[in-house]
Short mmCIF file of all heavy atoms in Angstrom, two decimals:
data_model
loop_
_atom_site.label_atom_id
_atom_site.label_comp_id
_atom_site.label_asym_id
_atom_site.label_seq_id
_atom_site.Cartn_x
_atom_site.Cartn_y
_atom_site.Cartn_z
N ALA A 163 4.92 7.28 -14.06
CA ALA A 163 5.21 6.01 -13.39
C ALA A 163 6.68 6.16 -12.81
O ALA A 163 7.35 7.14 -13.11
CB ALA A 163 5.06 4.82 -14.40
N GLY A 164 7.01 5.08 -12.24
CA GLY A 164 8.40 5.15 -11.75
C GLY A 164 8.65 3.96 -10.59
O GLY A 164 7.79 3.12 -10.50
N ILE A 165 9.83 3.99 -10.19
CA ILE A 165 10.20 3.02 -9.19
C ILE A 165 10.55 3.77 -7.85
O ILE A 165 11.39 4.63 -7.79
CB ILE A 165 11.45 2.15 -9.60
CG1 ILE A 165 11.18 1.39 -10.88
CG2 ILE A 165 11.90 1.24 -8.49
CD1 ILE A 165 12.46 0.62 -11.33
N VAL A 166 9.70 3.45 -6.84
CA VAL A 166 9.77 3.99 -5.56
C VAL A 166 9.98 2.90 -4.45
O VAL A 166 9.32 2.08 -4.35
CB VAL A 166 8.55 4.96 -5.20
CG1 VAL A 166 8.78 5.66 -3.82
CG2 VAL A 166 8.26 5.92 -6.33
N ASP A 167 11.10 3.11 -3.69
CA ASP A 167 11.44 2.10 -2.62
C ASP A 167 11.45 0.65 -3.37
O ASP A 167 10.92 -0.21 -2.76
CB ASP A 167 10.37 2.12 -1.53
CG ASP A 167 10.31 3.42 -0.80
OD1 ASP A 167 11.48 4.04 -0.70
OD2 ASP A 167 9.30 3.74 -0.27
N ASN A 168 11.99 0.67 -4.49
CA ASN A 168 12.28 -0.58 -5.25
C ASN A 168 10.90 -1.24 -5.77
O ASN A 168 11.06 -2.42 -6.15
CB ASN A 168 12.98 -1.58 -4.40
CG ASN A 168 14.42 -1.10 -4.00
OD1 ASN A 168 15.10 -0.63 -4.94
ND2 ASN A 168 14.78 -1.22 -2.82
N SER A 169 9.84 -0.51 -5.78
CA SER A 169 8.62 -1.07 -6.29
C SER A 169 8.16 -0.14 -7.51
O SER A 169 8.24 1.04 -7.37
CB SER A 169 7.55 -1.01 -5.20
OG SER A 169 7.89 -1.94 -4.15
N VAL A 170 7.70 -0.82 -8.55
CA VAL A 170 7.17 -0.01 -9.68
C VAL A 170 5.80 0.47 -9.23
O VAL A 170 4.89 -0.26 -8.81
CB VAL A 170 7.05 -0.95 -10.93
CG1 VAL A 170 6.29 -0.23 -12.03
CG2 VAL A 170 8.41 -1.27 -11.38
N MET A 171 5.61 1.70 -9.54
CA MET A 171 4.27 2.45 -9.27
C MET A 171 3.82 3.24 -10.45
O MET A 171 4.64 3.76 -11.29
CB MET A 171 4.41 3.37 -8.01
CG MET A 171 4.76 2.66 -6.69
SD MET A 171 4.91 3.78 -5.34
CE MET A 171 5.45 2.67 -4.03
N ASN A 181 10.85 11.30 -4.61
CA ASN A 181 11.67 10.19 -3.96
C ASN A 181 11.86 9.02 -4.90
O ASN A 181 12.38 7.98 -4.40
CB ASN A 181 11.04 9.70 -2.62
CG ASN A 181 11.10 10.82 -1.50
OD1 ASN A 181 12.16 11.10 -1.11
ND2 ASN A 181 9.87 11.34 -1.16
N ALA A 182 11.52 9.10 -6.13
CA ALA A 182 11.64 8.00 -7.01
C ALA A 182 13.03 7.69 -7.45
O ALA A 182 13.84 8.62 -7.67
CB ALA A 182 10.79 8.27 -8.31
N GLN A 183 13.36 6.46 -7.46
CA GLN A 183 14.75 6.09 -7.98
C GLN A 183 14.71 6.05 -9.48
O GLN A 183 15.75 6.14 -10.19
CB GLN A 183 15.14 4.61 -7.46
CG GLN A 183 15.37 4.64 -5.98
CD GLN A 183 14.08 4.31 -5.26
OE1 GLN A 183 13.42 3.26 -5.48
NE2 GLN A 183 13.77 5.09 -4.26
N VAL A 184 13.63 5.78 -10.14
CA VAL A 184 13.45 5.82 -11.62
C VAL A 184 12.08 6.65 -11.93
O VAL A 184 11.05 6.45 -11.31
CB VAL A 184 13.22 4.35 -12.13
CG1 VAL A 184 12.90 4.56 -13.61
CG2 VAL A 184 14.51 3.60 -11.91
N PHE A 208 18.45 0.31 -13.44
CA PHE A 208 17.35 -0.59 -13.20
C PHE A 208 17.39 -1.67 -14.36
O PHE A 208 17.95 -1.61 -15.38
CB PHE A 208 15.94 0.13 -13.11
CG PHE A 208 15.74 0.79 -14.36
CD1 PHE A 208 14.89 0.34 -15.39
CD2 PHE A 208 16.17 2.21 -14.56
CE1 PHE A 208 14.46 1.11 -16.58
CE2 PHE A 208 15.82 2.92 -15.67
CZ PHE A 208 14.99 2.41 -16.66
N GLN A 212 12.05 -4.58 -14.88
CA GLN A 212 11.30 -3.38 -14.27
C GLN A 212 10.79 -2.47 -15.42
O GLN A 212 9.67 -1.91 -15.20
CB GLN A 212 12.28 -2.71 -13.35
CG GLN A 212 12.65 -3.63 -12.11
CD GLN A 212 13.74 -2.90 -11.25
OE1 GLN A 212 14.74 -2.55 -11.74
NE2 GLN A 212 13.38 -2.66 -9.92
N ILE A 216 6.96 -1.30 -15.86
CA ILE A 216 6.53 0.05 -15.92
C ILE A 216 5.54 0.19 -17.19
O ILE A 216 4.57 0.76 -17.18
CB ILE A 216 7.71 0.99 -16.12
CG1 ILE A 216 8.49 1.09 -14.76
CG2 ILE A 216 7.34 2.42 -16.53
CD1 ILE A 216 9.90 1.79 -14.87
#
Side-chain angles (χ1 to χ4, degrees):
I165 299 176
V166 184
D167 296 330
N168 297 314
S169 295
V170 173
M171 298 179 181
N181 291 292
Q183 293 89 55
V184 174
F208 57 97
Q212 293 173 303
I216 288 172

